[in-house]
Amino acid sequence: MPAKTKSKSGARVELNTTSLTEQDYQQIAKKHKPKTKVFTNCLKAFLVGGLICLLGQCIQQLFMTYGGMTSREASSPTVAVLIIISVILTSLGVYDKIAQWAGAGSAVPVTGFANSMCSSAIESKAEGLVLGVGANMFKLAGSVIVFGVVAAFVVGVIHVIFGLGGVH
Amino acid sequence: MILTGAQTWEFKSKPVIIGTASVVGPEEGEGPLGGDFDFVYDNLEIGEKTWEKAERKLLEHASSLALSHAGITREELQFYISGDLMNQIISATFSARKIGAPYIGVFGACSTSMESLAMAALIVDAGGAKYTMAATASHNCTVEKQFRYPTEYGSQKPPTAQYTITGSGAAVVSSSGSGPRITHATIGRIQDLGVKDPFNMGEAMAPAAADTLVAHFRDTGRKPEDYDLIVTGDLATVGHAIVKDVLKKDGVNMGATDFKDCGLMIYDREKQPYVMAGGSGCGCSAVVTYGHILKKMKKGELNRVLIAATGALLSPLSYQQGETIPCIAHAVALEREGFEG
């Protein structure tokens, strides 16, 4: 249907564009929307996520071999080292670039958690220590903590009721 | 009466754009239009401590540069019309402290460039002032901070996402003088076809662009071929392809003219893959129009141009509450000085 032209009268003319329903429009838009490459993204996430875990394993091994720690003792300093690496990369403006390529691979491990806190803290510095950094540091990480605690509680309740296995 | 048709103003006096300025950040400077801009900053901080101050400085820089290009003083400027993407349009209002002229704040998201230019032309055409200025700015980091995530947060953006440009454009409009002339302005209507994804604003804004372009042709009786160049604001790859399709359905043949998009002109997507689908932001259509297109008009390469700047009028709150994105587009028609069409 052609557009109605030359309505000099000033009368309201219904435009064809607005007669498009949401469904019609979605059909048109769908054709032009690049697809998110789910498989490639999964593969990249698997690779990077795995590499970060491998790096963690290596650091832990170093603590065990040269620090004389047991694997349990070595786990905390290992996490601390990974967090420091993530914070340094975030501060240098590199972590977000890795994340664009890696997706969930760099978001899920502890480095992603550190990145979310560090980036929020850097961003809020302009608003001061209390109202800025302090209030906003957990802006993104906060929901991870909340739902982590809720999930742990639910699992704990199930464990108590059913007495399911697990190492004490 | 200057109203022609339902939503278009025809400026009989053809207000003149006597001076413009475009100031951009490093990434825009690296883009294909880099050489056209009046000033390119080599860093995003722009010598300021906060991103918000950096954006304001861009706006102040562009505004004062436009005044000097127009050859008038701050005291001579009668109205300053400005807007930006920040909450309570702080960049515009705070920059108005320095400009000093009576100020009108406008908000049309990324359509602010043409909204403010249309207002500036309307005031001059109605005899409300001899000199008015339209200005707008955006900064990649202020927008990331307000609308998305912290700038350094590692999140993966989908290929439909757009990259907010860092830059500011300003234009001084006058009732007389030398420069490209403003002949028409078509004020858009809000369009909302149910798109919710803030990482796909091209798709959200395309219906608004189509609606305003159809309205402009209907109101003025002009056709796409009457223009040497028609640009949309910042629809980027996805939105620009969609708008072509929608207009084709409406029987408007955009193939008859050169139909481009500011969001695609400002970056080289091959060399600058981080911009994803293309540029966006208040500054985008402003710097492309004032920095690139008007210079081509002055050189005589373009006679008649139509600029339809598009804006996605969402807020971080509205999108978190699951609302769809209302969008708008405002079109301004420009003519080369001395062109008798």
Side-chain angles (χ1 to χ4, degrees):
Chain A
M1 227 164 59
K4 289 174 192 163
T5 52
K6 289 190 185 178
S7 163
K8 295 248 174 186
S9 61
R12 207 104 175 113
V13 179
E14 260 324 298
L15 295 172
N16 296 319
T17 39
T18 50
S19 68
L20 267 179
T21 63
E22 286 186 19
Q23 286 78 12
D24 288 343
Y25 185 62
Q26 273 168 19
Q27 290 287 323
I28 297 174
K30 217 174 154 185
K31 280 191 290 179
H32 300 290
K33 216 154 106 181
K35 296 227 161 28
T36 306
K37 294 166 186 152
V38 177
F39 182 76
T40 332
N41 281 347
C42 284
L43 206 68
K44 285 175 179 174
F46 177 77
L47 265 176
V48 176
L51 275 174
I52 292 173
C53 294
L54 181 69
L55 176 71
Q57 201 60 52
C58 293
I59 295 167
Q60 191 178 20
Q61 206 60 47
L62 286 175
F63 277 119
M64 286 159 70
T65 314
Y66 298 102
M69 296 180 186
T70 65
S71 68
R72 183 171 273 220
E73 282 167 348
S75 65
S76 292
T78 302
V79 170
V81 170
L82 283 174
I83 287 172
I84 290 167
I85 293 172
S86 170
V87 167
I88 291 170
L89 290 178
T90 303
S91 307
L92 293 175
V94 179
Y95 202 89
D96 59 330
K97 294 187 174 65
I98 298 173
Q100 180 59 39
W101 194 86
S106 61
V108 174
V110 69
T111 49
F113 191 82
N115 163 255
S116 76
M117 287 184 67
C118 178
S119 60
S120 300
I122 295 172
E123 194 84 310
S124 313
K125 215 182 105 216
E127 286 82 59
L129 270 179
V130 177
L131 294 176
V133 178
N136 289 304
M137 211 163 170
F138 285 93
K139 203 164 88 180
L140 299 164
S143 52
V144 179
I145 293 176
V146 169
F147 292 110
V149 170
V150 171
F153 176 75
V154 172
V155 172
V157 168
I158 293 171
H159 179 76
V160 167
I161 294 173
F162 297 102
L164 295 173
V167 185
H168 286 277
Chain B
M1 177 115 148
I2 65 164
L3 182 71
T4 173
Q7 58 196 86
T8 301
W9 292 321
E10 185 182 353
F11 304 122
K12 301 268 193 241
S13 70
K14 298 189 179 178
V16 195
I17 302 178
I18 56 166
T20 60
S22 53
V23 174
V24 297
E27 284 141 347
E28 295 67 31
E30 279 170 24
L33 307 182
D36 283 352
F37 302 128
D38 296 313
F39 195 90
V40 179
Y41 281 96
D42 62 3
N43 62 80
L44 284 170
E45 286 81 9
I46 320 213
E48 295 290 340
K49 280 201 171 134
T50 72
W51 299 130
E52 289 75 15
K53 279 185 182 163
E55 181 175 305
R56 188 194 315 163
K57 192 170 170 189
L58 283 171
L59 189 51
E60 287 170 355
H61 189 171
S63 302
S64 55
L65 210 55
L67 283 176
S68 72
H69 287 171
I72 63 165
T73 61
R74 276 176 212 281
E75 290 71 34
E76 283 177 281
L77 181 69
Q78 286 158 312
F79 291 98
Y80 175 58
I81 303 148
S82 181
D84 59 272
L85 282 166
M86 292 297 92
N87 289 338
Q88 288 78 40
I89 51 170
I90 50 170
S91 301
T93 46
F94 285 38
S95 71
R97 291 190 301 204
K98 215 168 191 178
I99 306 292
Y103 159 77
I104 300 172
V106 290
F107 180 78
C110 312
S111 70
T112 305
S113 58
M114 289 306 119
E115 185 181 12
S116 55
L117 189 63
M119 295 291 295
L122 179 69
I123 293 171
V124 168
D125 190 64
K130 183 165 166 50
Y131 297 114
T132 57
M133 190 201 287
T136 185
S138 58
H139 192 295
N140 179 273
C141 300
T142 59
V143 166
E144 285 291 319
K145 181 176 174 180
Q146 181 178 300
F147 286 92
R148 297 168 197 135
Y149 297 115
T151 44
E152 297 306 330
Y153 178 59
S155 70
Q156 194 176 40
K157 286 182 180 161
T160 52
Q162 289 176 240
Y163 194 83
T164 307
I165 79 124
T166 302
S168 174
V172 177
V173 180
S174 173
S175 52
S176 62
S178 167
R181 296 175 158 255
I182 306 168
T183 61
H184 297 81
T186 301
I187 301 299
R189 306 188 297 171
I190 298 278
Q191 299 290 310
D192 186 343
L193 283 179
V195 179
K196 284 184 179 176
D197 183 3
F199 287 110
N200 188 7
M201 296 211 292
E203 184 184 333
M205 294 191 290
D211 188 69
T212 299
L213 287 173
V214 170
H216 179 81
F217 297 135
R218 179 202 63 206
D219 287 351
T220 59
R222 287 185 175 178
K223 296 186 183 69
E225 51 266 41
D226 291 328
Y227 290 97
D228 299 318
L229 172 71
I230 297 179
V231 293
T232 46
D234 34 27
L235 296 175
T237 44
V238 185
H240 197 62
I242 295 173
V243 82
K244 273 189 204 161
D245 239 17
V246 172
L247 286 169
K248 206 170 165 187
K249 256 192 153 70
D250 287 331
V252 182
N253 177 22
M254 295 307 280
T257 182
D258 194 10
F259 187 39
K260 288 185 176 169
D261 183 74
C262 297
L264 293 171
M265 293 161 81
I266 193 160
Y267 295 121
D268 183 341
R269 290 177 56 252
E270 301 277 308
K271 287 187 195 148
Q272 298 172 293
Y274 53 84
V275 305
M276 310 301 284
S280 70
C282 281
C284 186
S285 50
V287 297
V288 172
T289 304
Y290 303 145
H292 174 66
I293 294 171
L294 288 190
K295 279 183 187 147
K296 283 190 110 175
M297 290 185 91
K298 279 185 199 158
K299 280 187 212 156
E301 291 170 31
L302 297 167
N303 287 323
R304 236 189 220 165
V305 176
L306 182 65
I307 295 141
T310 48
L313 306 172
L314 79 164
S315 88
L317 209 66
S318 73
Y319 117 79
Q320 279 168 1
Q321 293 177 355
E323 301 262 3
T324 53
I325 305 173
C327 295
I328 200 158
H330 302 297
V332 172
L334 304 170
E335 230 169 62
R336 182 173 63 81
E337 191 181 12
F339 175 73
E340 298 297 332

